[in-house]
Structures are given as structure tokens and as C-alpha cells.
Amino acid sequence: MIYAQVKGGQKLHLAYEAGEGRDDQHLIKAGYISDPICGRPAPEGYRMTINLPLANACKRCLRVYAARMVAND
Ligand SMILES: [Zn+2]
């Protein structure tokens, strides 16, 4: 997972990096990053991506992330 910002000043969304995905049928290709997992579109890509988890992340993304981690156990 990676934190990504669509527009300056907005919250960071969580997205899948290459080789990751919701399941085996939805893996991200090399060199790509998924749309935010909360469903917000990122039609022009991201302004920046950050590996460090920050407290300022989108709450909907965090909720989706937590739910998927539970589902995968
Ligand atoms: Zn989000």
C-alpha cells in the first residue's frame, strides 16, 4: 500500500502499488498505482505518493483498508 495525494492540500488516500490488489483478479500492473481504495477517482494520477503512514489519511480509505485486512485473514 502507498499513500497518495490527488490534489495539493487534500488528504492522503491509500492505494495499491504494483503487484498488490483487492484480490488476484485485480492486481496492479508494474509501474501503476490504483485509484484510491475509498472510491475517489484519480483521473490524472497523483500529485505525489508517500510511503510513510501519516495521521492525515482519508478516513474512508482507512476504513476500507481495515475491513479488507480482516477479510483476508
Ligand atoms: Zn480515500
Side-chain angles (χ1 to χ4, degrees), residues 22 24 29 33 35 37-38 48 53-54 61-62 67 69 73:
R22 179 154 48 93
D24 286 348
K29 287 187 287 187
I33 296 173
D35 281 342
I37 60 174
C38 65
M48 64 172 182
L54 301 176
C61 278
L62 292 175
M69 288 304 107
D73 276 346

Side-chain angles (χ1 to χ4, degrees), residues 26-66:
H26 296 88
L27 297 180
I28 303 304
K29 287 187 287 187
Y32 287 83
I33 296 173
S34 76
D35 281 342
I37 60 174
C38 65
R40 188 198 196 289
E44 289 161 30
Y46 296 108
R47 179 174 165 269
M48 64 172 182
T49 55
I50 303 170
N51 271 310
L52 292 175
L54 301 176
N56 198 30
C58 162
K59 288 195 168 52
R60 289 172 62 197
C61 278
L62 292 175
R63 209 178 308 140
V64 172
Y65 178 71

